Amino acid sequence: MQEFMVVDYGDAAVDNWSAERTAVAVHHLVRQVVDAGVIPVVIGGDHSLMYADVVAVTDKYGKGKVAVVHWDAHFDGIPLLFGHYLTHGAMVRRLIDEGHVKGEHFIQIGLNSYKPGGSDLDWMRQNGVKYRFMHEIDAKGWRKVLKEVLAEVEAMKIKYVFLSLDTDVLDMAYAPGMGTPEPGGMTPRELFPMLRGVAAATNVVGVEMVELNPITDTTYLSRKSAYMALREILTGMAMRKKGITDPFYVDPKLKDHGRHQPQQ
């Protein structure tokens, strides 16, 4: 049964020489979708898009009234990257410092890089940013981490949730064609059910999937991984619309382990 309709609303204009000018065009397009009462699903593109995407959503629902659940190998809160204010590594800090999203309403999952460093962690802690490094997923397992993340979202008492997926959260063995791939990341068996679970258990008002760079992958692997990840998010959203909010839900028809009752 079809729970919602997916429509391609087109592409935003991109200025190859200016992330700031690109952000204006992206914001304008995403805001049109939000104002129409539709959930925007943005496919990028580098992660600087998060700034325009999230601001378009908070413009609609209010500053400080949207939580962000963010899967990424990197924390993306660098003050300036090569002297630039808006980049794929700085937009989280822009959103928090400018007050679009409160730090305590930001959850990051799968961090697995030399960043954040010591001063970065100080900034994250001062602002109440919640984060899960890969070692925590390794130690606890994705199920326990998912339960903790959903408990944190519930404790926020926030009605609206934005999902941000940087595909480089996946180990580069599964997705080498990313903007900044990292070894030692999540596996599809960990990431996919987490995406589906959060999308089913929370009120998602915006989605983005970024950093796929298929020209650096001569195989179909990266594109397939990204496609499957996005499909899991949409599946979770469809489950919720159907009234299924259990993040670990499995259709009872799939629980018989392939066994069939003998015919009488």
Side-chain angles (χ1 to χ4, degrees):
M1 181 177 182
Q2 181 172 305
E3 299 303 322
F4 50 63
M5 182 179 297
V6 177
V7 177
D8 184 350
Y9 195 65
D11 300 327
V14 173
D15 186 327
N16 290 329
W17 304 107
S18 173
E20 289 81 3
R21 292 180 65 179
T22 297
V24 173
V26 173
H27 174 273
H28 179 71
L29 194 68
V30 176
R31 183 63 193 271
Q32 287 181 356
V33 175
V34 175
D35 285 344
V38 178
I39 300 173
V41 178
V42 182
I43 301 175
D46 79 43
H47 214 162
S48 63
L49 290 173
M50 179 196 267
Y51 181 81
D53 297 339
V54 173
V55 172
V57 172
T58 58
D59 281 351
K60 172 71 173 180
Y61 298 106
K63 283 188 173 183
K65 295 184 178 180
V66 178
V68 176
V69 182
H70 171 206
W71 286 266
D72 203 324
H74 313 90
F75 89 118
D76 291 344
I78 298 170
L80 293 173
L81 186 59
F82 302 117
H84 291 278
Y85 183 79
L86 181 59
T87 68
H88 69 95
M91 70 288 170
V92 170
R93 188 172 291 242
R94 300 286 82 84
L95 290 169
I96 294 175
D97 285 353
E98 293 179 10
H100 301 286
V101 180
K102 293 182 179 180
E104 59 263 34
H105 296 162
F106 224 106
I107 301 176
Q108 299 187 310
I109 305 169
L111 299 181
N112 178 42
S113 178
Y114 66 93
K115 280 288 190 176
S119 61
D120 303 316
L121 282 169
D122 289 340
W123 174 82
M124 294 167 76
R125 290 164 180 157
Q126 289 167 5
N127 284 276
V129 176
K130 299 169 179 63
Y131 49 86
R132 300 294 192 289
F133 284 88
M134 273 307 305
H135 71 79
E136 192 168 345
I137 298 173
D138 291 339
K140 296 179 178 179
W142 69 266
R143 288 178 176 272
K144 186 170 183 179
V145 171
L146 175 57
K147 290 179 181 178
E148 292 176 350
V149 166
L150 291 176
E152 288 173 345
V153 174
E154 184 177 6
M156 294 175 191
K157 305 298 182 183
I158 292 290
K159 184 177 180 181
Y160 309 109
V161 176
F162 184 94
L163 304 185
S164 178
L165 170 61
D166 185 328
T167 48
D168 68 27
V169 75
L170 280 167
D171 188 280
M172 57 191 299
Y174 305 100
M178 304 299 155
T180 47
E182 299 281 359
M186 296 181 74
T187 69
R189 289 182 181 272
E190 295 165 332
L191 176 62
F192 291 175
M194 289 191 78
L195 294 172
R196 184 175 64 249
V198 174
T202 66
N203 180 36
V204 175
V205 295
V207 177
E208 66 180 8
M209 183 181 72
V210 298
E211 293 291 341
L212 175 63
N213 188 13
I215 64 173
T216 63
D217 180 2
T218 58
T219 73
Y220 188 60
L221 184 60
S222 298
R223 282 168 284 183
K224 182 66 172 179
S225 294
Y227 155 73
M228 292 292 289
L230 183 60
R231 191 175 74 170
E232 294 295 343
I233 295 175
L234 295 175
T235 297
M237 293 165 62
M239 288 166 57
R240 183 175 183 83
K241 190 168 183 181
K242 196 172 182 179
I244 302 170
T245 58
D246 177 3
F248 302 101
Y249 175 82
V250 176
D251 189 326
K253 296 177 182 177
L254 302 178
K255 291 183 177 180
D256 64 358
H257 307 289
R259 296 188 295 269
H260 299 282
Q261 297 297 325
Q263 293 183 355
Q264 299 296 325

